[in-house]
């Protein structure tokens, strides 16, 4: 009987994160050392980008493992301060998915595009996206004839406090959310789904920015 080699979950997660970083960099969504990317592992650990690295030039050592409470698995590894926002989404998924009240989350993406940054600096608690065909990329949307609300939360260097502000909205943000003057958070069941939603959201935010330039 031929020996079958099972795929290594850690190696697969690392390669997914490296590929996502390059894709996000290609579109200009992770300038300098901005942004972070994570993927859930079958054993419950989270693979996430190391603090301070350029996401377009990631190597295997640019990804570390953390527990669901954001603590590094290996001594000496330094997770990004925003790791807690990734963990919050995975924990919410774990808490509610068995009852069907929340989507399973397997990957989280955070980027800093021009459109997201500029639009989030305008007054208001949300960016409203209405009438676009691409809205159907988001969970639960099956028509262009709708409005999707993208919440905007004020930036805060105290990430634990920011996570408490975000918490009441979890489960009701099909297109993700934006941190004011900072960037977007988007997630999905798989890395491919998360990337598709990120590209959809960034396209729509770019459209909104262009529409506002054309407004009289």
């Amino acid at each position: 009987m031929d020996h079958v080699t099972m795929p290594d979950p850690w190696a697969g997660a690392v390669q997914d994160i490296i590929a996502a970083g390059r894709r996000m960099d290609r579109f200009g969504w992770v300038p300098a050392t901005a942004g972070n990317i994570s993927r859930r592992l079958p054993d419950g650990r989270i693979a996430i980008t190391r603090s301070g690295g350029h996401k377009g030039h990631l190597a295997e050592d640019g990804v570390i493992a953390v527990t669901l409470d954001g603590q590094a698995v290996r001594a000496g590894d330094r997770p990004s301060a925003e790791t807690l926002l990734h963990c919050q989404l995975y924990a919410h998924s774990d808490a509610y998915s068995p009852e069907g009240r929340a989507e399973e989350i397997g990957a989280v993406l955070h980027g800093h595009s021009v459109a997201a940054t500029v639009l989030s600096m305008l007054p208001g608690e949300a960016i409203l996206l209405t009438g676009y065909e691409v809205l159907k990329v988001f969970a639960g949307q099956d028509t262009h004839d709708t409005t999707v609300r993208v919440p905007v939360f004020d930036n805060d260097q105290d990430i634990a406090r920011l996570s408490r502000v975000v918490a009441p909205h979890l489960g009701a943000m099909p297109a993700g959310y934006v941190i004011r003057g900072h960037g977007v958070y988007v997630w999905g069941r798989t890395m491919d789904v998360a990337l598709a939603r990120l590209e959809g959201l960034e396209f729509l935010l770019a459209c909104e920015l262009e529409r506002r330039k054309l407004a009289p």
Side-chain angles (χ1 to χ4, degrees), residues 8-37:
D8 178 1
W10 173 257
V14 170
Q15 290 308 310
D16 277 357
I17 289 171
I18 290 173
R22 290 174 180 168
R23 189 165 168 183
M24 292 168 70
D25 180 48
R26 189 163 66 247
F27 288 105
W29 297 335
V30 281
T33 60
N36 34 65
I37 304 164

Side-chain angles (χ1 to χ4, degrees), residues 71-133:
Q71 299 301 307
V73 171
R74 186 174 62 183
D77 282 343
R78 186 166 70 94
S80 163
E82 293 175 40
T83 295
L84 182 59
L85 297 176
H86 291 246
C87 294
Q88 178 182 46
L89 287 162
Y90 292 120
H92 176 77
S93 173
D94 286 352
Y96 292 105
S97 288
E99 291 80 18
R101 290 184 288 165
E103 178 187 26
E104 179 184 357
I105 297 175
V108 178
L109 303 170
H110 170 49
H112 295 235
S113 71
V114 171
T117 303
V118 172
L119 288 172
S120 69
M121 294 299 284
L122 300 174
E125 296 181 350
I127 300 167
L128 302 181
L129 303 173
T130 302
Y132 294 103
E133 179 69 17

